[in-house]
Amino acid sequence: MRTPWVVTAVLAALAAGPVAAQAPAPKATSPKVCMNCHQPMAGSIRGNFDNVAFKSTSIQLAIDSNKEIVRFDPKTLKVTDGDVKKPAEALRDTRKGHEMRIVYVEKDGQKWASEVILKGPVKVAKEDLVGYEFVHKQVEQPDANVVLIDSRPLPRFQQGTIPGAINIPYPAWDKVAAKLLPADKTKQLVFFCQGETCQMSPLSQRKAIGMGYKNTKVYHAGVPEWQTRDYLVTRPEFVKEAYVDKGIPSIILDVRSAEEAAGGRIKGAVNIPAASVKSQLKSFPPAKLQAPIIVYDGRGGADAITAARELIKGGQQNVQVVNGGLLAWQTKGYATDFTGPAPTKIAYVPKPRPGAIAIEEFSKLAQATPADVIILDVRNVDEANAGMIKGAVLIPEEDLAARIAELPKDKRIIIHCSTGIRAEMAYHKLKDAGYNVGFLNAEIDINKQGKFKITAKA
């Protein structure tokens, strides 16, 4: 039986009439991590550079898991890289993931950038800096009077850090620093984070100085430099939490002998003995993919470190050694695979970008488009004049916001351009508007007869 107050509440709600639909939450204008140092600004958004399409004059910005599309006029756009003024064309060379701020104005329901500010190096006094050589020496010959401190948030720390470092995330500094910092305030503290444009290590240094620590330094190049020159370390629980449990694609590499690997290994591991890694470098994914390669041996770590350094010499840039090896994994009680010989062939498939569909699926839909599917071509008119897929609908990406009502919401919309960049931008616009949508993240050439050739991105 319902209690009287529940009945009263229901009757009151009915008397009040239909409940208004809850308004959608406003889109974030800055990544969460940036909120530790910056406040939101009207007419301005912060994020990480994702893509630029000059044919549709659009910039795609990543704000945590969301994407923001901003139009620009290359003739009037101001671009500042650190303190240096650059032409709009400089955006072509911008590194994916580079932090930036875009100043914009609203026009015809779209954001138009007036200025792009690429984040430059955070200023740190020269006398407060240490370089790779200093940190490398500390890793090889640890000094008890030196403490390496990773200032990045825990999820980044879990995905690999400099050997011997402890994690004091700058965003949680006030809650955890006093418990984790050494009691002896004369010890040397060396802070690092995500490179020269990241403020977390310099800000952590200032906090430590304010707490009375007398000897503080910053390894300014941080993890981005370190991982191109040396191995990172991780722990069994981090491998499980950061990769296995989340299904993040990675290569788990067992560098023991084939006999040892057959006697038990981490589930999903590939076996290449440490001595054979150098000769097998070509079997690993292209270095530019930055595939996480998680290396372990039995327990000592020497073989794993040897293999990791061979991989780094071969160009890999995200190589992590599991502290304690398989023994540490088993001590945690994590699943171990005993099903015969270990696989020896590396298979790595990067996690697809949200909304991307397989080339095979796109080809099938484009060759015989079902009645409930629309192939949307978002290239420019001049590109389409050279050849279009038969039956496709042409709406250039730059016109999509104004013409979005032309697309029905009761059909699945599959988007392509020539390289996947504009198609992805169109995907986010339609996804935000409530459409059932996917896109081709590949290069496609189409001839006058509508026949096409697709080339997968490396």
Side-chain angles (χ1 to χ4, degrees):
M1 178 181 290
R2 290 182 178 177
T3 57
W5 68 265
V6 173
V7 175
T8 302
V10 172
L11 291 172
L14 291 172
V19 179
Q22 187 174 2
K27 292 180 72 172
T29 60
S30 180
K32 291 177 183 176
V33 69
C34 294
M35 300 296 285
N36 294 291
C37 309
H38 303 286
Q39 294 300 314
M41 300 170 62
S44 177
I45 54 175
R46 293 181 186 274
N48 299 94
F49 176 78
D50 204 38
N51 267 317
V52 62
F54 273 81
K55 289 181 179 178
S56 65
T57 59
S58 302
I59 301 168
Q60 182 164 292
L61 199 65
I63 303 176
D64 293 328
S65 60
N66 298 318
K67 306 291 185 183
E68 185 73 63
I69 313 297
V70 183
R71 300 288 309 281
F72 67 94
D73 182 344
K75 295 179 181 178
T76 60
L77 181 68
K78 297 178 181 177
V79 177
T80 305
D81 187 352
D83 296 325
V84 180
K85 302 292 183 183
K86 292 187 174 181
E89 285 289 324
L91 292 174
R92 295 185 188 275
D93 302 319
T94 301
R95 170 181 57 84
K96 188 179 289 287
H98 196 119
E99 297 162 85
M100 62 165 52
R101 181 167 66 89
I102 297 178
V103 180
Y104 67 89
V105 294
E106 292 273 1
K107 187 168 62 176
D108 299 327
Q110 289 189 318
K111 292 182 175 69
W112 283 82
S114 58
E115 186 174 9
V116 172
I117 300 100
L118 294 164
K119 191 173 182 181
V122 177
K123 293 181 180 178
V124 177
K126 189 174 181 180
E127 61 270 19
D128 287 346
L129 294 173
V130 296
Y132 167 81
E133 289 74 16
F134 178 95
V135 180
H136 178 73
K137 183 179 179 181
Q138 173 63 19
V139 169
E140 294 296 299
Q141 302 171 357
D143 182 341
N145 291 312
V146 178
V147 182
L148 297 177
I149 301 173
D150 189 332
S151 300
R152 301 174 303 159
L154 178 61
R156 286 292 187 105
F157 181 77
Q158 289 179 322
Q159 292 174 3
T161 190
I162 296 173
I166 64 172
N167 185 215
I168 306 182
Y170 175 73
W173 179 277
D174 293 336
K175 294 180 181 179
V176 302
K179 301 174 186 176
L180 299 176
L181 287 169
D184 183 355
K185 295 189 175 181
T186 64
K187 285 194 174 184
Q188 186 173 57
L189 309 182
V190 180
F191 297 95
F192 65 90
C193 56
Q194 203 60 29
E196 295 183 353
T197 63
C198 178
Q199 297 194 79
M200 286 184 279
S201 52
L203 290 175
S204 295
Q205 182 202 26
R206 293 179 201 172
K207 290 266 191 180
I209 292 171
M211 292 173 66
Y213 286 86
K214 309 295 183 185
N215 189 359
T216 63
K217 300 288 183 181
V218 173
Y219 172 35
H220 210 196
V223 172
E225 177 187 61
W226 180 271
Q227 66 184 16
T228 66
R229 303 182 67 174
D230 221 327
Y231 67 95
L232 302 165
V233 292
T234 188
R235 305 175 195 167
E237 61 268 32
F238 292 166
V239 174
K240 185 175 182 297
E241 293 170 17
Y243 292 99
V244 177
D245 290 351
K246 294 180 181 177
I248 294 176
S250 61
I251 297 166
I252 300 178
L253 186 64
D254 186 325
V255 297
R256 299 173 300 154
S257 68
E259 293 76 18
E260 290 174 301
R265 57 192 175 274
I266 296 176
K267 190 173 182 180
V270 175
N271 176 228
I272 299 179
S276 301
V277 168
K278 184 176 181 180
S279 64
Q280 295 292 320
L281 289 174
K282 290 184 179 179
S283 67
F284 286 84
K288 66 181 179 181
L289 292 180
Q290 293 194 340
I293 304 176
I294 300 163
V295 188
Y296 72 90
D297 54 20
R299 62 183 294 178
D303 286 344
I305 291 170
T306 297
R309 284 181 166 158
E310 287 295 345
L311 287 164
I312 291 159
K313 288 178 186 176
Q316 297 295 333
Q317 297 183 11
N318 191 1
V319 184
Q320 306 166 37
V321 169
V322 181
N323 275 336
L326 182 65
L327 179 63
W329 178 269
Q330 293 175 322
T331 300
K332 290 283 184 181
Y334 299 150
T336 305
D337 188 351
F338 296 97
T339 57
T344 58
K345 186 176 180 180
I346 293 169
Y348 174 76
V349 180
K351 191 171 183 177
R353 295 175 75 85
I357 67 171
I359 289 174
E360 294 77 14
E361 181 184 4
F362 178 87
S363 296
K364 184 178 178 181
L365 293 172
Q367 287 167 356
T369 308
D372 60 349
V373 172
I374 292 174
I375 302 297
L376 178 62
D377 186 336
V378 295
R379 297 174 301 159
N380 292 345
V381 173
D382 57 344
E383 295 174 279
N385 286 339
M388 276 186 67
I389 293 172
K390 291 180 180 179
V393 173
L394 176 67
I395 302 180
E397 195 276 331
E398 62 267 31
D399 298 336
L400 186 58
R403 297 176 56 186
I404 199 167
E406 297 177 24
L407 297 170
K409 283 196 171 181
D410 61 348
K411 294 189 178 185
R412 185 183 181 205
I413 298 174
I414 304 299
I415 314 167
H416 80 84
C417 59
S418 56
T419 64
I421 294 175
R422 286 170 289 171
E424 183 178 12
M425 292 179 177
Y427 162 80
H428 288 291
K429 288 180 180 178
L430 291 175
K431 186 73 174 176
D432 288 346
Y435 285 83
N436 178 10
V437 62
F439 77 98
L440 176 67
N441 187 29
E443 296 182 2
I444 181 169
D445 290 315
I446 310 167
N447 66 20
K448 276 286 188 182
Q449 289 71 44
K451 293 183 178 180
F452 55 86
K453 179 182 178 182
I454 301 175
T455 305
K457 290 187 175 181

